[in-house]
Amino acid sequence: MGPRLNGDESSLWQAATRVLDANWTGIATTPSPGLYPHQWGWDSVFVSLGLARYRPERARQEIAGLLRAQWADGMVPHIVFNAGLVRQGYFPGPELWLSSRQPGAPRSVETSALTQPPLHAFAALRLHAAASSGGACSRDFLRWAYPKLAAQHEYLADVRDVGGEGLASICHPWESGMDNSPAWDRPLAAAQPPPTSYARLPVPRSIPAGVDHDRYVWLVTTFRDSGYDAGYLRDEHPFLVEDPLFNAVYLASTHALAEIAEVVGADPVPHREAAERLHDALVRRLWDDEQRCFHPLDLRTGKLIRVATAASFVPLLDPYLSAPMARRLADLMLSARFAGAAGYPMPTCDLQASAFDRAAYWRGPTWACTNWLLWAGALQQGFGSIADLLYDGTLRLVRQSGFREFFDPFDGSGRGSHDYSWTAALLLDLLA
Ligand code: 9WN
């Protein structure tokens, strides 16, 4: 099974399916062999988009694994631990989160207590669309998933709308998916942990270590010590940000939820109304007219964080984004600040920002997942040539350097881990 491809594309296709098959544990697909041995939220969602193209049943299993780990309040966790692999040494493991002591956590698996960009409903609808003639299995799956996805969205609307204006806030850089984005430097620096109180394990990877990692862990322990309490989050937690990527994905998934509701015979209207409110709040709160792009809003200072990153453009996914705003985003994407000297789209940080670093994880390198979101956003806005740039650039990166975790935006060399699941999966989605 698979689309009609030329010789080169067909070998890429085969190689990508080998990566995904090798990273399948029997329960879920790990982001990368060795490095991340468990199931991750938005990784699995992206993986499901690739699996949908050749193993639709497993694509559904991938999303089901996340939804089965949902907490009683509707939160879908960003890590679902594989009990058989906890000794592989990923830090922080279940011992940090202590989910098994939380009354609202699932009993069957241990999980983290944070979430990640909620692309789940968007992906579930895409799986359905990719299923041959909308198949019965796929409709059954949507029937099973719909109440869980709706509960996930209710959680975001209730517990995470701390600003009270309709957007969901993230309470940790890990929730953004772009851990060490320069956008988090200021709010993270303002969160002052006590001296290190846990034993650091060596971190054998390119992720931020040292003081930033200490702060990441401390933010979790302080949230955990409150019993992961919504009131604590609202009134005391030091890191609380409304992020354009997270909220644009939330909005795209809310539209998808309305369509899923129609497929399963539920009422789509509340989801349509929610999407309208989200669109209004996104534009009202995160659009920066002076800088002509979206920026995160730090709820603890009440100020926009004015560093343009790949996240600034993800609201292109919004079907009701006004044409002038979409045009401004496109102009910035094509300007010297994002296209400039970079040979490959799309650097994760403004090339002219002092924080830009071509090698440093989410501070400059290009990633298949952000490219894919922007490709989907460009298609949504009818920006065919930008979509082509992202499509061709992403294929070129993989041809040149393989299924790497991320890539140098100037010369396309591969960085981080090899055989990365979302790079393989999103390539399949692009080729299909
Ligand atoms: C923390 C798995 C995850 C991705 C994130 C990426 C990185 C984890 C880490 O790896 O985050 O969740 O250990 O740094 O930043 O986007 O989901 O691939």
Side-chain angles (χ1 to χ4, degrees), residues 356-410:
F356 172 81
D357 181 338
R358 68 191 282 178
Y361 211 48
W362 295 100
R363 302 175 79 83
T366 163
W367 293 68
C369 63
T370 36
N371 280 355
W372 186 90
L373 286 171
L374 298 175
W375 168 77
L379 287 180
Q380 176 65 59
Q381 301 303 326
F383 294 153
S385 50
I386 297 187
D388 287 350
L389 272 178
L390 288 155
Y391 180 99
D392 294 340
T394 307
L395 254 60
R396 214 147 47 85
L397 286 167
V398 174
R399 270 198 201 101
Q400 181 188 326
S401 303
F403 300 104
R404 296 297 294 269
E405 186 176 4
F406 53 99
F407 305 86
D408 183 298
F410 294 122

Side-chain angles (χ1 to χ4, degrees), residues 30-32 35-36 38-44 78-79 90-92 97 114 116-117 172-180 203 205 207-208 213 216 361-362 367 369 405 420 422:
T30 62
S32 131
L35 179 58
Y36 296 114
H38 308 289
Q39 182 177 23
W40 253 263
W42 77 330
D43 298 66
S44 270
H78 95 298
I79 308 174
Y90 174 78
F91 178 80
W97 309 95
L114 298 176
Q116 258 186 338
H172 196 293
W174 285 335
E175 294 203 305
S176 71
M178 294 176 59
D179 303 7
N180 70 337
V203 185
R205 43 202 169 124
I207 67 157
H213 204 259
Y216 296 163
Y361 211 48
W362 295 100
W367 293 68
C369 63
E405 186 176 4
Y420 219 72
W422 69 28

Side-chain angles (χ1 to χ4, degrees), residues 42 116-122 153 156 166-170 176 242-256 274-275 278-279 281-283 286 294-296 310-321 329 372-374 376-377 380-381:
W42 77 330
Q116 258 186 338
L119 198 63
H120 309 59
F122 182 88
H153 284 232
L156 294 171
L167 295 184
S169 41
I170 56 170
S176 71
E242 292 175 354
D243 173 45
L245 185 158
F246 192 99
N247 279 288
V249 158
Y250 175 27
L251 172 55
S253 268
T254 306
H255 281 293
L278 257 166
H279 160 85
L282 187 66
V283 167
L286 306 191
F294 289 88
H295 281 136
S312 302
F313 304 95
V314 181
L316 287 170
L317 286 173
D318 178 357
Y320 295 107
L321 193 66
L329 290 178
W372 186 90
L373 286 171
L374 298 175
Q380 176 65 59
Q381 301 303 326

